[in-house]
Amino acid sequence: MRLPWVFFFGILLSCQLIDAQAPKKNTSSDIFHSIQKLNFLGSALYIAAHPDDENTRLISYLSNEVKAKTAYLSLTRGDGGQNLIGSELRELLGVLRTQELLAARRIDGGEQFFTRANDFGYSKHPNETLKIWNKEAVLSDVIWIIRNFKPDVVINRFDHRSPGSTHGHHTSSAMLSFEAFDLANNPNMYPEQLKSTDVWQPKRLFFNTSWWFYGSEDKFQKADKSKMIDLDVGVYYPLRGVSNNEIASLASSQHLCQGFGRLATRGSENEYIELLKGVLPNNKSDIFDGINTTWSRVEGGEAVGKILYEIESNFDFAQPSKHLPQLIEGYKAILQIKDEHWKKIKKQELEDIIQSVCGLYLEATAAESNTYPGSNIAIDIEALNRSNADINLISVSTSTDNLINKKLALKENKKELFQININVPNNKDYTSPYWLNNKGTTGMYTVKDQNLIGKPETPNAFELNFEMEFNGFTINIKKPIVYRYSKPEKGEIYQPFEILPEATASFKDKVIIFANSEPKEIPVTIKALKDNVKGELQLCFGKGWKVDQEIKPFEIAKKGDQRILNFLLTPPSTEDENYISPIIKVDGKEISKELIEISYDHIPKQSVLMPSETKVVRLNINKNGENIGYINGAGDEIPESLKQIGYKVDKIDPTTIQAGSLAKFDAIVVGIRAYNVVDELKFKQRYLLDYVKEGGNLIVQYNTAGRNGLDMDNLAPYPLSISRDRVTDETSKVNILAKTHALVNYPNKITQNDFNGWVQERGLYFPDEWSKEFTPILSMNDEGEPALSGSLLVAPYGKGNYIYTGLSFFRELPAGVTGAYRLFANLLSLKQETQK
Ligand SMILES: [Zn+2]
């Protein structure tokens, strides 16, 4: 083989980052890599629980060095985490992280799968995880993915033998993989799946171990490695001008919402994988050792190999189109092989290679980024053959309509442009993440179509079929319809083309609290997604609630414009939790969705249609004090929640804190992880403690303890040590220890009922030791664990009070949990109580 253009190829990797959706433009080096992969018939599946669990070094090594078909199965989409780059949380964070995984795979060359399991938040033990997930359903999904992907080797990120030592989701992923390895081959397991796939037995199961599973590098050095394979994943790829580790770092740097941007590394680096099931390879540096990964693996494959190995050995980097006749012969030979699994994969791979060697550019672009069911849209087609190969375009069709039928000879570098029209069927589905279309449970998404399960994202709204003739031989090439435009400051941008409703409606707030019986004005924003939308908006509400005018007309002239309609909503006189939702009635259709757009440079733009609804809460709450000072930490929505119940909340900029500047506040609240993320605060802590001494009321929410604890000795006026103790079960029983303390009596009497309806968890990073000045108010525990009494601690100091709490108010208040509001009002009111 000849390798003349070695130096140009590193550029490609960085270009992919700029536009996540642009069609990939293959260099000769990319084509050669694809041919090497075409000639490797083996596959590996990596299994873990979350976006970012995956070892991109190993995935990239398997895909790029070994040339295996490689995939990562992340059981969840990572909805339960934090977001460092934007406001998306929960389902929307799951959509963002799904796309970050896909961005990582575009770089390391892997594929991506998911199960229906929902990342419901931190879980201490797989027993809890597998109770909240539907274990049978997740196991069935893992088996479904193994049966479809048919991996020769499966690699677990986590150890199935050490429950309790890491996140319960992690251990569960390994346990389910361990079980699925054999069950995938059992026809009695989930037999309904066998209507559309067959049983499969992977050959080997590994655990991707590391010294940190052993506690120290020292211990790992001494560990028995007789069942371990040692892979040097630091290889260099001269055709691309990068090391495997550089690709891996760039891939994992796509997890930007988790703050994973990191430096690239180079040089030799080892990965250890321990055999759990199957036969140990003789060659301890080849996980496929003993598995036939050549064309002779499949019946009829030898004929294919004869043609395609020859191309690999004599690849012409300067003129790849020279190989077209052989590639067509290879394609014909692939059509003859018996193995339907490999036939489908290799056919697709070869179709891509055939287009690439000819520099064939086929693109279908819509004039707008979205349209609606029942519309007619114009699509521009660009067809260009950048080689001297004999290529004709025969027809273009959708799955239902033949759009154009004329033989068009594509002459070398002569662009063909033409327009076609597509009727969007009235019953066409909207484009939105498929796993959010139906209401799920805490632990599971609901997906009704078995064939969607496992897929990373909703398939393209429209795919066009281009019937092409290469040297007189017909090959059908599928292309999605895309939207492209340019921005002066960014250049060309590609977006998915989407089917969306004619209009959508949304509320500003997801929870609205009524602290008394006064009505509130509720603004509803209608967004037009086509020109001239005219219709009515109806506000639906629950029993006991009243609205000034239930149905209001609206008219919007231009697509993209918005209109706000205000409804006056009066709550009932007694405590109540309810939901309100808008229904748009337009052209005889009813639409009750809101549209959320997720837009970042490193992922394709995402449109998410969610049920439009807001929780409305009539709360019986007493409160004292009025002026609250809030010091932001890592970001929470508590200030907005406090404003909703009538507090005046001022954000305090820590740089402005000085002696006496805080006296005007009835209480000061420190946001979550403030001391972890705001360095300035450590220098201003003495003023906060002085504020307490002078009669102030300071409420500090959770901070995390690092390896050596929080690096400050005056977090509280008295010694207090933060631990990693947490109570993750949001329904766990709470005992009131200090029954007569003001915090549970004034101005609201706190009872067991106030701990009903909490979300996600009780609290986290509770102190585990405190000095005698503190009074613990509550105790609680997860099932089977000792009671923890550090969730809410209070100590008088000078004339004031200091409160430290790891209770998850930052989750409960924005979720409209009434008991959490009442308890928090008591925390804020403590100063007034002690000064009575
Ligand atoms: Zn994880």
Side-chain angles (χ1 to χ4, degrees):
M1 66 183 135
R2 277 161 279 157
L3 311 171
W5 295 354
V6 164
F7 299 104
F8 295 98
F9 307 130
I11 303 165
L12 193 79
L13 278 173
S14 48
C15 292
Q16 284 174 347
L17 270 184
I18 297 168
D19 192 332
Q21 194 65 17
K24 189 163 181 276
K25 290 161 185 162
N26 293 316
T27 63
S28 280
S29 159
D30 295 322
I31 298 169
F32 181 67
H33 176 66
S34 300
I35 292 171
Q36 290 180 308
K37 283 185 78 96
L38 180 69
N39 285 335
F40 189 95
L41 283 75
S43 51
L45 180 64
Y46 197 87
I47 299 183
H50 305 118
D52 88 351
D53 286 346
E54 85 275 23
N55 182 342
T56 53
R57 283 193 307 269
L58 195 51
I59 290 173
S60 175
Y61 174 84
L62 292 169
S63 172
N64 295 305
E65 173 66 11
V66 180
K67 318 289 180 197
K69 200 169 155 57
T70 309
Y72 173 40
L73 166 57
S74 174
L75 296 200
T76 77
R77 296 173 187 267
D79 316 50
Q82 315 269 342
N83 182 356
L84 293 178
I85 57 170
S87 58
E88 294 81 14
L89 285 173
R90 304 181 76 85
E91 297 96 333
L92 298 177
L93 184 61
V95 175
L96 171 55
R97 289 188 172 182
T98 294
Q99 291 300 324
E100 291 191 337
L101 276 177
L102 287 169
R105 295 298 83 79
R106 277 191 288 273
I107 291 167
D108 63 29
E111 296 169 52
Q112 185 61 51
F113 300 115
F114 295 95
T115 71
R116 286 169 290 171
N118 191 343
D119 176 5
F120 55 82
Y122 190 79
S123 177
K124 287 177 184 169
H125 200 278
N127 289 351
E128 182 203 33
T129 302
L130 294 173
K131 223 187 287 170
I132 297 175
W133 288 350
N134 177 340
K135 189 206 155 183
E136 280 301 305
V138 185
L139 180 64
S140 128
D141 290 1
V142 176
I143 288 173
W144 168 250
I145 289 157
I146 289 176
R147 283 172 172 176
N148 279 294
F149 186 69
K150 305 196 186 310
D152 297 308
V153 295
V154 177
I155 305 171
N156 293 346
R157 164 79 284 186
F158 298 102
D159 192 347
H160 66 288
R161 298 157 294 197
S162 54
S165 63
T166 174
H167 198 319
H169 297 176
H170 291 164
T171 316
S172 297
S173 74
M175 291 163 70
L176 291 170
S177 166
F178 194 82
E179 249 186 273
F181 185 85
D182 301 312
L183 297 180
N185 201 35
N186 180 344
N188 298 321
M189 289 303 292
Y190 309 106
E192 67 287 353
Q193 292 180 1
L194 300 176
K195 281 183 216 142
S196 39
T197 188
D198 351 301
V199 295
W200 181 250
Q201 180 57 62
K203 309 280 188 309
R204 296 187 176 115
L205 177 66
F206 293 103
F207 159 46
N208 181 194
T209 189
S210 157
W211 66 263
W212 37 270
F213 288 103
Y214 287 74
S216 73
E217 296 196 49
D218 222 33
K219 281 185 192 154
F220 184 60
Q221 271 198 349
K222 290 172 196 144
D224 171 18
K225 297 200 184 62
S226 59
K227 288 201 137 190
M228 281 184 204
I229 289 187
D230 176 2
L231 302 170
D232 181 358
V233 298
V235 288
Y236 176 62
Y237 303 124
L239 282 173
R240 307 172 80 172
V242 285
S243 294
N244 187 63
N245 327 17
E246 290 177 286
I247 296 178
S249 310
L250 193 55
S252 60
S253 290
Q254 301 308 301
H255 296 302
L256 291 179
C257 76
Q258 310 201 52
F260 261 53
R262 54 152 133 150
L263 280 176
T265 62
R266 284 158 288 275
S268 180
E269 223 172 280
N270 290 342
E271 279 294 335
Y272 291 89
I273 52 175
E274 178 189 348
L275 187 79
L276 301 174
K277 288 185 182 180
V279 182
L280 198 66
N282 291 322
N283 178 349
K284 290 281 207 80
S285 59
D286 179 8
I287 63 169
F288 288 97
D289 183 56
I291 299 170
N292 185 357
T293 57
T294 70
W295 276 105
S296 66
R297 172 178 193 149
V298 294
E299 201 184 326
E302 258 140 19
V304 183
K306 221 169 144 190
I307 302 164
L308 297 181
Y309 290 132
E310 163 74 16
I311 301 176
E312 187 179 338
S313 319
N314 296 296
F315 187 66
D316 188 336
F317 283 79
Q319 217 185 328
S321 64
K322 260 179 42 186
H323 298 293
L324 182 64
Q326 291 162 283
L327 290 167
I328 300 286
E329 288 315 304
Y331 191 86
K332 288 178 186 167
I334 286 175
L335 295 180
Q336 300 307 315
I337 64 174
K338 294 267 155 46
D339 186 312
E340 289 302 323
H341 174 68
W342 283 113
K343 186 197 282 186
K344 190 171 168 217
I345 293 165
K346 295 300 170 186
K347 203 170 142 269
Q348 172 72 55
E349 287 179 12
L350 193 43
E351 283 164 10
D352 292 343
I353 292 169
I354 287 171
Q355 290 173 69
S356 296
V357 296
C358 304
L360 179 64
Y361 197 87
L362 281 180
E363 188 169 75
T365 50
E368 293 180 90
S369 67
N370 60 70
T371 190
Y372 53 93
S375 62
N376 180 282
I377 45 155
I379 304 293
D380 287 310
I381 305 286
E382 179 179 344
L384 175 61
N385 167 18
R386 289 172 290 184
S387 71
N388 59 9
D390 170 21
I391 305 178
N392 294 306
L393 191 158
I394 306 296
S395 72
V396 183
S397 56
T398 64
S399 58
T400 52
D401 299 315
N402 210 340
L403 303 167
I404 188 163
N405 217 340
K406 60 170 175 183
K407 190 164 171 173
L408 196 61
L410 301 181
K411 302 264 166 48
E412 182 171 0
N413 218 21
K414 290 276 179 295
K415 185 165 58 181
E416 295 289 343
L417 292 175
F418 56 93
Q419 204 172 59
I420 52 175
N421 276 286
I422 291 184
N423 286 315
V424 182
N426 262 314
N427 60 355
K428 183 85 181 162
D429 287 338
Y430 297 136
T431 316
S432 184
Y434 70 86
W435 60 96
L436 301 178
N437 283 344
N438 298 293
K439 207 171 168 61
T441 63
T442 308
M444 297 298 293
Y445 296 117
T446 302
V447 180
K448 291 180 178 154
D449 180 354
Q450 176 69 33
N451 289 311
L452 284 173
I453 291 175
K455 285 198 189 333
E457 58 183 344
T458 303
N460 284 306
F462 271 105
E463 218 174 39
L464 295 188
N465 183 57
F466 290 83
E467 186 187 353
M468 307 295 294
E469 251 178 31
F470 295 85
N471 292 353
F473 181 76
T474 304
I475 294 178
N476 287 298
I477 291 173
K478 299 237 178 335
K479 293 279 175 186
I481 296 177
V482 294
Y483 171 64
R484 69 170 181 152
Y485 67 107
S486 69
K487 266 189 179 175
E489 73 283 14
K490 286 191 174 163
E492 185 179 57
I493 295 174
Y494 277 81
Q495 270 183 24
F497 170 69
E498 299 170 315
I499 308 299
L500 297 172
E502 285 90 331
T504 55
S506 61
F507 295 109
K508 189 169 136 283
D509 298 305
K510 284 281 132 208
V511 173
I512 301 170
I513 308 287
F514 294 75
N516 52 44
S517 50
E518 291 292 306
K520 281 190 178 184
E521 196 153 81
I522 312 291
V524 184
T525 303
I526 306 171
K527 182 173 182 168
L529 296 172
K530 68 165 195 172
D531 287 343
N532 301 316
V533 193
K534 194 177 167 188
E536 289 176 336
L537 180 72
Q538 178 179 2
L539 188 77
C540 305
F541 53 93
K543 206 168 154 242
W545 296 73
K546 284 195 205 83
V547 143
D548 59 337
Q549 185 188 338
E550 214 176 306
I551 298 173
K552 298 188 177 185
F554 71 91
E555 208 174 328
I556 304 177
K558 275 194 77 68
K559 179 174 180 174
D561 280 0
Q562 300 189 349
R563 173 98 354 118
I564 295 175
L565 298 183
N566 285 304
F567 293 83
L568 198 65
L569 182 68
T570 308
S573 54
T574 53
E575 198 158 284
D576 189 42
E577 279 183 21
N578 231 306
Y579 287 88
I580 54 173
S581 60
I583 295 179
I584 294 176
K585 296 179 179 178
V586 58
D587 297 343
K589 289 183 206 171
E590 294 197 343
I591 305 157
S592 57
K593 301 272 189 185
E594 73 170 305
L595 173 66
I596 299 138
E597 294 178 338
I598 303 177
S599 186
Y600 293 99
D601 283 348
H602 66 305
I603 62 162
K605 183 174 168 236
Q606 297 296 298
S607 295
V608 187
L609 293 167
M610 300 278 281
S612 185
E613 63 176 22
T614 271
K615 185 177 177 184
V616 287
V617 179
R618 169 68 171 97
L619 180 63
N620 273 329
I621 190 167
N622 300 312
K623 55 193 181 49
N624 278 321
E626 190 183 349
N627 295 317
I628 309 297
Y630 205 89
I631 299 174
N632 272 348
D636 57 62
E637 295 162 28
I638 290 185
E640 287 67 37
S641 301
L642 297 182
K643 282 179 197 165
Q644 284 215 25
I645 57 168
Y647 282 106
K648 188 174 166 299
V649 184
D650 286 331
K651 297 257 175 89
I652 302 174
D653 173 357
T655 59
T656 66
I657 297 176
Q658 50 182 313
S661 71
L662 305 172
K664 62 183 172 187
F665 295 112
D666 296 318
I668 292 174
V669 182
V670 182
I672 57 168
R673 299 205 308 280
Y675 296 99
N676 295 119
V677 298
V678 186
D679 282 340
E680 176 76 12
L681 210 48
K682 293 175 187 167
F683 308 112
K684 298 299 169 68
Q685 180 66 357
R686 61 194 177 101
Y687 297 118
L688 285 167
L689 294 181
D690 284 349
Y691 158 78
V692 179
K693 204 176 192 175
E694 293 305 316
N697 181 25
L698 180 66
I699 297 150
V700 178
Q701 297 179 80
Y702 91 90
N703 283 269
T704 60
R707 198 167 292 167
N708 307 310
L710 198 60
D711 181 26
M712 56 190 291
D713 52 15
N714 63 343
L715 175 67
Y718 313 107
L720 181 73
S721 123
I722 299 169
S723 74
R724 298 179 66 84
D725 287 352
R726 55 168 84 202
V727 175
T728 55
D729 180 359
E730 69 273 23
T731 64
S732 61
K733 189 172 182 317
V734 176
N735 288 312
I736 298 173
L737 298 175
K739 291 199 171 54
T740 57
H741 198 281
L743 284 187
V744 284
N745 288 291
Y746 177 83
N748 301 292
K749 174 86 187 153
I750 300 298
T751 68
Q752 291 299 334
N753 289 339
D754 291 304
F755 296 99
N756 293 341
W758 283 47
V759 296
Q760 189 149 339
E761 64 198 351
R762 288 286 185 212
L764 63 176
Y765 293 100
F766 296 162
D768 59 349
E769 283 175 50
W770 49 86
S771 75
K772 60 180 183 341
E773 288 85 356
F774 283 101
T775 304
I777 305 295
L778 307 170
S779 89
M780 58 191 72
N781 56 279
D782 279 322
E783 201 184 309
E785 295 188 0
L788 302 171
S789 52
S791 66
L792 178 57
L793 300 169
V794 56
Y797 177 58
K799 293 182 217 158
N801 285 291
Y802 175 95
I803 299 171
Y804 190 93
T805 181
L807 290 173
S808 293
F809 288 110
F810 70 102
R811 293 194 201 282
E812 313 308 323
L813 300 192
V817 177
T818 53
Y821 271 96
R822 258 192 298 271
L823 181 56
F824 207 78
N826 284 9
L827 268 52
L828 296 171
S829 305
L830 187 59
K831 178 185 175 185
Q832 284 68 31
E833 163 64 5
T834 49
Q835 288 180 348
K836 263 195 316 192

